[in-house]
Amino acid sequence: MNISAVQLYVIKMPLKSPFQTHLGTVIEREGIIVEVTDIDGVSGYGEGVAFSTPWYTEETVKTSLHMLTDILIPLLKKNAVSHPEEAAVLFKSVKRNHMAKAGLEMALWDLYSKKHAKSLASVIGGTRETIASGVVVATDSTVIALNQIEKFLSEGYQRFKVKINPKQDYAFLEEIRRHFPDLPLMADANSAYTLKDLERLKKLDDFNLLMIEQPLAADDIIEHSKLQKSIRTPICLDESIVTFEDAKQAIELGSCRVINIKSGRVGGLYEAKKIHDYCLEKGVPVWCGGMIEFGISRAHNIALASLPGFTIPGDISASSRFWEEDIISPEVTVNDGYVKVPTTPGIGFSINQKRLKDVQLMKSLFKF
Ligand code: OSB
Ligand code: MG
């Protein structure tokens, strides 16, 4: 791909409102923007989606920076690739560190698509012109949750997700259902339960939830299979699925009926597409997860969600859901509940250079 340089930008932005889960609260979001430039001066962009602390997965902004700086960028410099899939395979020689890998791999996908004058969605086999948009409400206050749902409903969102845990489940969902009996609603537990909570979890069948996301620990594949046999609500796995093999095993064991795919969590678009293709073949619906991301990752998510197996509205919301001003231009908008899939080359959004500079903490350049 004739790469001439890789530039990393660490950025930080405050969220419009705190994002609360039982694992902690995100108030400010740090992230890594990856820019890969080729000898013709064309740039592709990716985003490292690890958080400042390892609350969601083991990676952090600092571990990602280390992996990119000391391992992945040097590996790419030593091994010329002609397609992003070759980079994905090359990065397999490095264990885990999926979010760091994905940031770089996805910048290559954007660059590759731009060089071929095709949209990223069309390069990966996307078939949709628009994506149905869902939104997440993450608060420990029932009043705030009800107000946010009301607001997001008026903005057209088609699917609503709330965060639950053993201290905030039955009564919380009951109150939401009292106000919104027919709302397309799901709940994400981010591993807040164990199988000891089986009776508690069974009761959540009362609420006609679209699904319950990641009720048990990330490595509880067998326990999820036992749980799924005891509850009517479909289980969707998030944290448990970090590789294609995980997806295969979860489906074979009956540990879930739905999978949330996040490119960052699985190491990039190549692995995300592989999981998608398998799920499509097996008739398991998938949806695109969110990482409180900036516009570049959001744009990649839109391309991913244009694949045919993404039949459930994902956590792809407008830039304005979290940010006063995003780092892309135009920003991602939701119209009548849908996001348009760009048809212009690459991710289809350009960089808002002024905003990128304003929120920048650090940058470093690697010449090839
Ligand atoms: O568990 O799906 C999750 C955000 C950060 C980390 C993990 C998760 C989330 C969300 C999605 O719930 C929020 C979004 O970006 O829309
Ligand atoms: Mg989740």
Side-chain angles (χ1 to χ4, degrees):
M1 292 177 73
N2 295 320
I3 296 159
S4 66
V6 178
Q7 178 107 45
L8 302 179
Y9 307 82
V10 178
I11 63 172
K12 182 160 96 173
M13 235 189 256
L15 271 66
K16 277 184 172 174
S17 58
F19 188 93
Q20 282 180 318
T21 73
H22 76 107
L23 299 169
T25 303
V26 181
I27 294 166
E28 287 182 314
R29 177 69 159 116
E30 277 185 296
I32 304 170
I33 304 307
V34 183
E35 177 180 6
V36 178
T37 307
D38 78 355
I39 53 170
D40 300 323
V42 180
S43 284
Y45 292 89
E47 194 177 305
V49 295
F51 292 96
S52 309
T53 61
W55 67 271
Y56 171 69
T57 65
E58 64 276 23
E59 290 181 88
T60 67
V61 172
K62 276 193 183 155
T63 69
S64 290
L65 270 182
H66 161 53
M67 291 313 294
L68 284 161
T69 302
D70 300 321
I71 310 286
L72 299 169
I73 294 171
L75 193 61
L76 188 63
K77 194 170 163 175
K78 240 188 262 148
N79 299 272
V81 296
S82 56
H83 191 281
E85 289 188 3
E86 283 174 32
V89 174
L90 178 67
F91 294 163
K92 295 237 180 226
S93 64
V94 176
K95 304 284 183 210
R96 299 278 187 149
N97 293 285
H98 289 176
M99 292 175 184
K101 290 176 184 173
L104 185 53
E105 190 240 31
M106 289 160 81
L108 292 168
W109 279 103
D110 182 30
L111 175 59
Y112 180 89
S113 309
K114 282 172 177 161
K115 295 295 283 185
H116 289 77
K118 283 184 181 159
S119 69
L120 175 59
S122 67
V123 165
I124 63 172
T127 52
R128 287 168 213 285
E129 289 174 12
T130 58
I131 308 291
S133 183
V135 70
V136 183
V137 165
T139 170
D140 65 5
S141 152
T142 307
V143 174
I144 293 175
L146 292 171
N147 285 336
Q148 287 195 359
I149 291 170
E150 185 79 57
K151 174 174 172 277
F152 292 139
L153 199 55
S154 75
E155 290 173 12
Y157 286 102
Q158 301 197 33
R159 190 236 58 193
F160 298 77
K161 169 166 135 184
V162 292
K163 297 287 189 180
I164 58 162
N165 63 71
K167 291 199 183 110
Q168 175 182 306
D169 51 17
Y170 199 91
F172 178 64
L173 291 168
E174 194 173 38
E175 191 62 8
I176 293 172
R177 271 288 177 240
R178 200 166 67 79
H179 284 81
F180 305 100
D182 304 319
L183 193 75
L185 179 67
M186 60 172 288
D188 185 359
N190 291 104
S191 306
Y193 301 88
T194 72
L195 265 191
K196 289 195 185 125
D197 301 307
L198 181 60
E199 291 310 311
R200 236 199 137 78
L201 289 165
K202 272 188 188 169
K203 287 207 203 99
L204 304 184
D205 279 344
D206 289 356
F207 300 115
N208 191 26
L209 299 175
L210 296 169
M211 67 195 87
I212 179 168
E213 184 178 344
Q214 197 69 43
L216 311 177
D219 50 4
D220 279 351
I221 294 274
I222 292 174
E223 287 81 352
H224 276 109
S225 152
K226 289 183 184 162
L227 177 62
Q228 184 65 91
K229 289 181 182 69
S230 311
I231 61 174
R232 259 185 297 122
T233 307
I235 292 175
C236 168
L237 290 177
D238 174 356
E239 287 90 327
S240 289
I241 310 298
V242 295
T243 62
F244 169 74
E245 287 72 21
D246 290 338
K248 216 171 148 228
Q249 284 173 27
I251 291 169
E252 271 183 30
L253 282 169
S255 307
C256 64
R257 294 192 192 136
V258 182
I259 288 179
N260 157 340
I261 303 182
K262 295 179 185 173
S263 298
R265 198 189 63 226
V266 303
L269 265 179
Y270 170 73
E271 194 81 359
K273 188 169 152 43
K274 242 174 88 176
I275 296 171
H276 159 272
D277 294 351
Y278 182 78
C279 289
L280 187 61
E281 187 192 308
K282 295 288 170 187
V284 174
V286 301
W287 53 273
C288 182
M291 283 293 288
I292 319 179
E293 54 248 296
F294 302 109
I296 293 168
S297 180
R298 217 162 270 277
H300 279 279
N301 285 347
I302 293 167
L304 178 65
S306 74
L307 294 173
F310 284 81
T311 52
I312 300 173
D315 292 344
I316 302 182
S317 50
S319 293
S320 64
R321 160 68 182 87
F322 292 113
W323 317 121
E324 288 298 341
E325 186 183 1
D326 205 342
I327 55 164
I328 53 164
S329 173
E331 295 199 343
V332 174
T333 54
V334 173
N335 298 300
D336 296 324
Y338 291 91
V339 175
K340 249 186 110 205
V341 180
T343 52
T344 46
I347 56 173
F349 293 85
S350 34
I351 304 304
N352 177 341
Q353 295 292 349
K354 180 176 183 306
R355 182 62 171 161
L356 180 63
K357 209 165 172 193
D358 286 347
V359 296
Q360 189 176 299
L361 297 178
M362 187 203 107
K363 85 177 170 180
S364 50
L365 176 67
F366 303 85
K367 288 208 168 113
F368 274 39

